[in-house]
């Protein structure tokens, strides 16, 4: 399923100040400010990057789904000690990486053309954070939301590792997908709405990570720039509120 013929070809739309990737006019896969290509312009991407509340200094990050590279670019810029691997199955998406200012591969950043489910199942590496944001023309592929997949996510994470999964709130199996994640992670899952009522982000911790998270005032993680904190602060506030409800 890695050859070009098996995958839909996205198209790019531009305004005076943005560039966006679409599979259809009704769905925006990624959006970039032309003057601030590293900024997180979609609310769900800011919520996903809220993983920094739990893992402020991850050594190794993996991401399933490149899109326009919004989260990958943000991490590359603002987490200079982190190594990031992004896996994208659609070669047409990878072909657009230069149009979306995705950094070239280097010592701490790489984009792999591959199947995300296979990568998670077969990787010998262990990651502190695993971000799952893989969608195609039909929505979320079944291979990226099965019970087997979430079990494999547990295995590929380091001790105290964190899964961050983007789910469409309107998915007909939304509740079941959340339950699958909870089942794989021994009940340790936090659901946070993205603030735009279209996506929910599920944070699932390995080794009791979420249960040990202190609940208090929303603070900027040590070492995070003021520019990054300004973008992430509202998401952090939603996450803390959800964590308080979960721990009550």
């Amino acid at each position: 399923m890695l050859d070009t013929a098996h995958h839909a070809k996205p198209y790019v739309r531009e305004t005076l100040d943005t560039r966006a990737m679409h599979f259809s006019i009704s769905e925006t896969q990624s959006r970039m400010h032309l003057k601030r290509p590293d900024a997180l312009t979609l609310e769900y991407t800011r919520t996903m990057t809220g993983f920094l509340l739990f893992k402020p200094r991850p050594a190794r990050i993996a991401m399933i789904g490149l899109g326009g590279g919004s989260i990958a670019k943000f991490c590359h810029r603002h987490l200079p000690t982190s190594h990031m691997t992004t896996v994208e199955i659609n070669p047409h998406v990878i072909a657009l990486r230069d149009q979306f200012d995705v950094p070239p591969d280097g010592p701490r950043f790489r984009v792999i053309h591959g199947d995300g489910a296979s990568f998670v199942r077969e990787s010998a590496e262990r990651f502190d954070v695993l971000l799952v944001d893989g969608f195609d023309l039909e929505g979320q592929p079944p291979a990226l939301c099965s019970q087997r997949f979430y079990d494999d996510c547990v295995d590929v994470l380091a001790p105290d590792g964190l899964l961050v999964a983007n789910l469409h709130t309107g998915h007909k199996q939304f509740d079941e997908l959340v339950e699958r994640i909870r089942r794989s992670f021994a009940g340790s899952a936090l659901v946070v709405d993205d603030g735009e009522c279209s996506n929910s982000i599920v944070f699932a911790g390995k080794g009791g990570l979420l249960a040990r998270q202190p609940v208090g005032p929303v603070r900027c993680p040590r070492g995070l720039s003021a520019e990054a904190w300004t973008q992430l602060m509202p998401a952090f506030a939603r996450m803390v509120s959800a964590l308080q409800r979960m721990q009550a």
Side-chain angles (χ1 to χ4, degrees):
M1 296 295 289
L2 296 182
D3 63 281
T4 303
H6 282 98
H7 299 283
K9 190 172 184 178
Y11 63 93
V12 176
R13 296 181 70 226
E14 286 196 17
T15 66
L16 290 176
D17 57 359
T18 66
R19 181 175 295 147
M21 181 187 297
H22 297 261
F23 283 120
S24 68
I25 193 63
S26 61
E27 295 283 347
T28 300
Q29 299 299 314
S30 189
R31 185 170 64 215
M32 178 182 75
H33 278 301
L34 297 178
K35 293 183 179 180
R36 295 184 295 128
D38 300 319
L40 298 171
T41 63
L42 297 177
E43 191 64 42
Y44 92 87
T45 62
R46 294 191 282 271
T47 307
M48 289 192 75
T49 312
F51 72 79
L52 292 169
L53 177 69
F54 304 117
K55 306 291 290 186
R57 290 177 293 277
R60 306 189 73 82
I61 305 169
M63 183 164 189
I64 308 304
L66 174 65
S70 299
I71 295 175
K73 290 184 293 184
F74 183 95
C75 292
H76 184 262
R77 176 174 178 180
H78 295 288
L79 303 177
T81 63
S82 299
H83 182 281
M84 185 155 197
T85 299
T86 302
V87 183
E88 173 58 56
I89 195 171
N90 190 332
H92 301 299
V93 170
I94 296 176
L96 295 175
R97 66 184 291 175
D98 290 343
Q99 289 194 50
F100 285 88
D101 288 5
V102 175
D105 287 0
R108 63 183 185 89
F109 184 89
R110 59 176 176 164
V111 175
I112 297 174
H113 177 213
D115 178 271
S118 297
F119 174 84
V120 169
R121 184 170 57 251
E122 299 168 2
S123 177
E125 296 181 76
R126 294 297 175 261
F127 299 93
D128 300 293
V129 177
L130 173 62
L131 302 139
V132 179
D133 187 27
F135 289 84
D136 58 23
L137 185 62
E138 304 299 324
Q140 190 163 19
L144 295 181
C145 56
S146 68
Q147 192 69 67
R148 169 66 186 275
F149 174 72
Y150 293 131
D151 288 347
D152 290 337
C153 289
V154 176
D155 292 338
V156 83
L157 286 169
D160 289 340
L162 182 70
L163 169 70
V164 186
N166 176 29
L167 302 180
H168 275 175
T169 305
H171 193 291
K172 62 182 180 180
Q173 291 183 292
F174 175 82
D175 291 338
E176 172 60 25
L177 299 186
V178 173
E179 182 56 33
R180 289 176 190 173
I181 295 173
R182 285 202 174 101
R183 194 176 299 129
S184 294
F185 283 83
S188 180
L190 177 72
V191 181
V192 182
D193 294 337
D194 71 352
E196 294 181 340
C197 301
S198 57
N199 296 72
S200 290
I201 310 305
V202 182
F203 298 86
K206 186 174 179 179
L209 174 68
L210 300 185
R212 298 195 309 273
Q213 180 68 30
V215 176
V218 180
R219 303 182 190 278
C220 179
R222 181 178 299 177
L224 192 67
S225 70
E227 177 189 357
W229 173 237
T230 297
Q231 296 184 60
L232 297 181
M233 182 172 59
F236 272 44
R238 289 196 305 276
M239 292 173 64
V240 168
S241 294
L243 194 62
Q244 288 172 334
R245 292 192 296 272
M246 186 183 79
Q247 295 184 358

